[in-house]
Amino acid sequence: MPAHLLGPHVVGQRVVVRRLLPGRTGPTGGPAFTDLLGVCLSWGDGVAVIEPASGEPVEVPISLIVSGKPVPPRPSVRGRVSARAAELHTAALVRGVETTVLGDWQLRHEPAPVGRVRSRFNSCLAMGDPGLPAAAALDDVTAFYTARGRTPQVQVEADADVEAAVRSLGWAPVPGKDALFLLASLAQVRRRLPPMAEQPRADIDGVYLSVRTPAAHGEAGLDGDWLGLHGLVVEPEHRRKGLARAVIAALLDAGAEHGATTAWLHVETDNAPAIALYESLGFVEHHRCRYYTAPQAD
């Protein structure tokens, strides 16, 4: 065992160790060994304590460890969901979004948008298999949105096979719409937010949450145990006062009270200040997405 790989410095890390089983014989007639994977809780006084993913912590005499090394943490369950599965939570953000399926694709339409027409609620989520050749599927998308007076758009996972097919058929990327899908453990984000003497109150209406103050506002939508944040705005003259964090904290607390454990959001890739804020709170990139519009008819 290389001495630098294991020792007191691995306490708190996920490790794998191979240990000797005294008095037992292995399959080839030599000494018997077994591997143990888990988090190292302590290392000292001749004993390492390893906590496996299930079961009680195991005390391992350090003298019996013949090899071992730290291993990367296992990706969280939320991090292992597909881009499509993650994006399907978008439908819970606002009222009145109609959805129609096209194989794995989902056509989304907001008949009565409040304010501007937002792409995420008025585009086809083109992830997965539409059950048709790409050209035929995109023809259906074009017909669907044209009939509803909307610009035909698709949302694709960046650099996926669907994006290559869409681009090859003449669809053009929408400038300034590239976005990151960020997600995090709700509890982890809440722990990183400082205590607040005057936290605003979140209003809850079914699965829709909102916080509104004269200086800042934000909204969220519950879908199972996923809480999607959106519409976070702080008035320019009130920025850099911690108001964004206060709104986020209020939405997270209200979401947690209703069973949310995962927080997520979209942020455009050119919004560096917002990305820095969310990353400081523990959000990580799950995937990137882009929007494409249909080619103009001659």
Side-chain angles (χ1 to χ4, degrees):
M1 174 186 65
H4 69 283
L5 292 183
L6 291 178
H9 61 278
V10 300
V11 172
Q13 297 185 42
R14 191 163 175 257
V15 299
V16 59
V17 299
R18 172 158 289 190
R19 55 177 171 147
L20 179 68
L21 298 176
R24 297 176 61 177
T25 302
T28 61
F33 301 93
T34 187
D35 293 333
L36 177 62
L37 174 66
V39 176
C40 181
L41 301 181
S42 65
W43 185 287
D45 297 328
V47 175
V49 179
I50 310 295
E51 182 177 40
S54 61
E56 297 296 318
V58 178
E59 293 187 355
V60 181
I62 293 173
S63 61
L64 298 182
I65 296 176
V66 297
S67 65
K69 62 181 179 179
V71 296
R74 185 182 182 189
S76 68
V77 172
R78 64 181 60 88
R80 297 197 295 273
V81 304
S82 68
R84 175 181 176 274
E87 291 287 350
L88 285 174
H89 292 288
T90 299
L93 294 182
V94 297
R95 294 177 174 84
V97 176
E98 300 174 349
T99 60
T100 302
V101 297
L102 181 63
D104 290 337
W105 293 11
Q106 185 184 70
L107 299 151
R108 304 168 296 192
H109 172 237
E110 190 180 16
V114 177
R116 63 186 177 89
V117 176
R118 292 165 291 187
S119 294
R120 75 174 87 173
F121 307 126
N122 292 278
S123 64
C124 174
L125 179 64
M127 297 182 183
D129 182 2
L132 297 169
L138 291 174
D139 284 346
D140 284 355
V141 171
T142 299
F144 178 90
Y145 288 105
T146 300
R148 289 160 177 78
R150 295 280 189 267
T151 300
Q153 290 190 93
V154 295
Q155 179 192 5
V156 301
E157 182 181 1
D159 304 320
D161 291 344
V162 172
E163 180 181 26
V166 167
R167 187 185 288 270
S168 72
L169 291 166
W171 286 55
V174 180
K177 286 290 187 179
D178 289 14
L180 305 179
F181 187 105
L182 304 181
L183 82 171
S185 158
L186 187 149
Q188 180 190 60
V189 176
R190 191 62 187 90
R191 284 195 299 270
R192 294 192 181 195
L193 289 163
M196 298 168 192
E198 297 184 5
Q199 181 173 300
R201 180 176 62 87
D203 294 318
I204 304 174
D205 182 4
V207 298
Y208 305 103
L209 291 69
S210 64
V211 172
R212 294 195 174 276
T213 74
H217 64 267
E219 299 177 356
L222 277 165
D223 188 23
D225 60 355
W226 285 54
L227 180 75
L229 307 175
H230 72 112
L232 180 62
V233 175
V234 177
E235 298 301 328
E237 64 272 22
H238 294 286
R239 291 174 183 170
R240 299 188 181 278
K241 298 179 181 179
L243 295 179
R245 286 178 168 82
V247 171
I248 292 171
L251 292 170
L252 294 181
D253 286 349
E257 290 175 1
H258 287 73
T261 60
T262 297
W264 69 272
L265 54 89
H266 285 124
V267 59
E268 292 181 353
T269 56
D270 59 0
N271 192 345
I275 293 172
L277 167 64
Y278 297 130
E279 288 182 342
S280 74
L281 297 177
F283 284 91
V284 297
E285 179 181 335
H286 181 272
H287 64 272
R288 298 185 177 215
C289 54
R290 299 191 179 106
Y291 292 90
Y292 282 77
T293 56
Q296 297 296 316
D298 294 333

